[in-house]
Amino acid sequence: MTRKYIDCREYPSEMNCSVALAADSENELLEAAVQHATTVHKHADSPELRTQLKAMFHDGTPPTDAPRHA
């Protein structure tokens, strides 16, 4: 089983969110990411949001340093 993560630092926003979430299962990560997106970023929970979040998942663990942006 490969650990998965999602990192808000990859998607700059006005709030400069620095949260990264990781979990052992995609389902667990998705539920945590949805909770974060709806609570902190005020997105509506929808099938589209869940699809977008899943597309942002990476294998492994988040890097210590913030990702570089183009």
Side-chain angles (χ1 to χ4, degrees), residues 5-13 17-20 55-58 61-63 65-70:
Y5 75 93
I6 188 169
D7 192 336
C8 273
R9 298 173 300 178
E10 292 179 3
Y11 309 96
S13 67
C17 185
S18 64
V19 169
M56 298 176 193
F57 289 1
H58 301 284
T61 56
D65 296 327
R68 293 186 179 179
H69 300 288

Side-chain angles (χ1 to χ4, degrees), residues 23-42:
D24 288 337
S25 77
E26 192 170 286
N27 288 338
E28 184 179 17
L29 180 56
L30 181 59
E31 292 308 315
V34 167
Q35 182 178 10
H36 175 74
T38 58
T39 303
V40 175
H41 298 287
K42 306 302 182 200

